[in-house]
Amino acid sequence: MRELTRAEEEVMQILWKIKKGFVKEILERFDEPKPAYNTVSTIVRILQDKGFVTHKAYGRTHEYYPVVSKNDYSKSQLKTFVNDYFSNSFEKMVSFFAKEKSISVKEMEDIMKIMEDEVEKQKVKR
Amino acid sequence: MRELTRAEEEVMQILWKIKKGFVKEILERFDEPKPAYNTVSTIVRILQDKGFVTHKAYGRTHEYYPVVSKNDYSKSQLKTFVNDYFSNSFEKMVSFFAKEKSISVKEMEDIMKIMEDEVEKQKVKR
DNA sequence: GTTGCATAACTAATTTATTCGTTGTATATT
DNA sequence: AATATACAACGAATAAATTAGTTATGCAAC
């Protein structure tokens, strides 16, 4: 999956949030100082070329919406990250952050609960 | 912490791996097609300006080594990622990947073990 | 000392990304 | 129908990143 540049990612984050929108609506979601209308319009068209969004035309105006979901993109991004920084091991990554105390006890307990359920589910399947 | 560009990250990954090295040694680690010596030299000097590496001079030649550890950089990167894609919740991220089956049962079991230990450690401290 | 080689520093060239002005066209307004 | 408005498309201008040529300096070999 192609990478998003900074500017492109910012637009995607907005589109993921609002689900669909006209350039004008995307522009509104930008923090000050807002870019020019044309800047957003250009970025959106680049995103379309890259296959991240598509549009529905209402006469002359276009309503854009994501084709690549935030989940799919984040999956691909984290995969690259885990590969580059934790030799492709999720376990290494998670345990690193657990030991670094970047994950609170509460979070760890919640994660463990989810994992227990998942492990159970996988076992049942067999 | 500043971000690394693609080219910069590639050099850092090499430096993190070899611990320290002269430009020539860094160059050797590149896959074909290797960039020009000067390209690597420039990137390393940019990394120095950005504070990611420093050097020890042996006469006219410089031996470069990382100032920012791979751990520190990955921590900062993942923090940004979790913030942007999982509203700053580690738990959301990990459980998303657990449910996506990007984490194997074996990995989950190992992670749970580590978390149990960590939770225990945290509790003892109080 | 002179020549040749290795290297860092500097700088130019190229590529990629970002930003936005201009233009043309469709639609709405009068 | 004429004018105004809104928008997408285009493309120019700028900025940032990447790549590598050129230059200057130090050191080694002779």
Side-chain angles (χ1 to χ4, degrees):
Chain A
M1 183 174 307
R2 294 199 57 187
E3 286 244 340
L4 296 171
T5 67
R6 267 240 165 288
E8 288 162 4
E9 184 174 349
E10 206 166 347
V11 169
M12 284 307 292
Q13 288 283 2
I14 291 171
L15 272 178
W16 282 323
K17 189 179 297 170
I18 67 181
K19 305 287 197 300
K20 60 184 166 48
F22 299 93
V23 173
K24 210 195 202 175
E25 295 171 333
I26 297 169
L27 180 57
E28 279 164 9
R29 297 299 185 118
F30 268 86
D31 289 336
E32 298 294 346
K34 294 187 200 301
Y37 178 97
N38 290 331
T39 304
V40 176
S41 164
T42 302
I43 296 170
V44 163
R45 247 168 314 110
I46 291 169
L47 285 170
Q48 193 168 241
D49 288 348
K50 284 192 173 183
F52 280 89
V53 310
T54 185
H55 75 266
K56 204 180 200 169
Y58 291 98
R60 193 159 164 67
T61 86
H62 294 181
E63 186 172 41
Y64 293 92
Y65 50 94
V67 166
V68 174
S69 73
K70 188 171 172 176
N71 277 350
D72 283 353
Y73 187 68
S74 66
K75 214 188 299 180
S76 138
Q77 284 300 100
L78 191 66
K79 231 184 118 206
T80 304
F81 178 79
V82 170
N83 184 55
D84 292 349
Y85 288 92
F86 293 93
S87 43
N88 229 2
S89 157
F90 249 97
E91 190 228 315
K92 273 189 193 137
M93 182 191 78
V94 176
S95 54
F96 171 71
F97 285 95
K99 284 179 183 154
E100 284 288 329
K101 301 179 191 28
S102 305
I103 313 182
S104 69
V105 168
K106 163 101 177 62
E107 275 185 306
M108 286 194 278
E109 283 168 348
D110 291 344
I111 290 166
M112 286 189 284
K113 201 168 302 159
I114 285 158
M115 286 187 172
E116 277 160 23
D117 291 352
E118 279 304 313
V119 169
E120 203 46 49
K121 244 188 249 171
Q122 304 281 322
K123 277 182 182 156
V124 165
K125 270 190 191 152
R126 285 193 258 118
Chain B
M1 181 176 306
R2 295 197 57 189
E3 286 244 340
L4 297 171
T5 66
R6 266 238 168 287
E8 289 162 6
E9 185 175 345
E10 205 165 349
V11 169
M12 284 307 294
Q13 289 283 3
I14 291 171
L15 272 178
W16 281 323
K17 188 178 299 171
I18 67 180
K19 305 288 197 300
K20 60 184 165 50
F22 300 92
V23 172
K24 213 204 227 176
E25 295 170 333
I26 297 169
L27 181 56
E28 280 163 8
R29 296 301 184 119
F30 268 86
D31 289 334
E32 299 295 348
K34 293 187 200 301
Y37 178 98
N38 289 331
T39 302
V40 176
S41 165
T42 301
I43 296 172
V44 161
R45 248 170 312 108
I46 291 170
L47 285 169
Q48 193 169 241
D49 288 347
K50 285 193 171 181
F52 280 89
V53 311
T54 185
H55 76 264
K56 203 179 198 168
Y58 292 98
R60 193 159 164 66
T61 85
H62 295 180
E63 187 172 41
Y64 294 93
Y65 49 94
V67 166
V68 174
S69 71
K70 188 170 173 176
N71 278 349
D72 283 353
Y73 186 68
S74 65
K75 213 189 298 179
S76 138
Q77 285 300 99
L78 192 67
K79 232 185 116 205
T80 304
F81 178 79
V82 170
N83 183 54
D84 292 349
Y85 288 90
F86 294 93
S87 44
N88 227 4
S89 158
F90 251 95
E91 190 230 314
K92 274 190 193 136
M93 183 192 76
V94 176
S95 54
F96 171 71
F97 285 94
K99 286 179 183 155
E100 285 289 328
K101 308 187 187 19
S102 306
I103 314 182
S104 67
V105 167
K106 163 105 180 58
E107 274 186 307
M108 286 196 277
E109 281 168 349
D110 290 346
I111 289 167
M112 285 190 283
K113 202 171 297 156
I114 286 157
M115 285 189 173
E116 275 160 22
D117 291 353
E118 279 304 313
V119 168
E120 203 47 49
K121 245 189 243 168
Q122 303 281 323
K123 278 184 179 153
V124 166
K125 272 190 187 150
R126 280 192 260 118

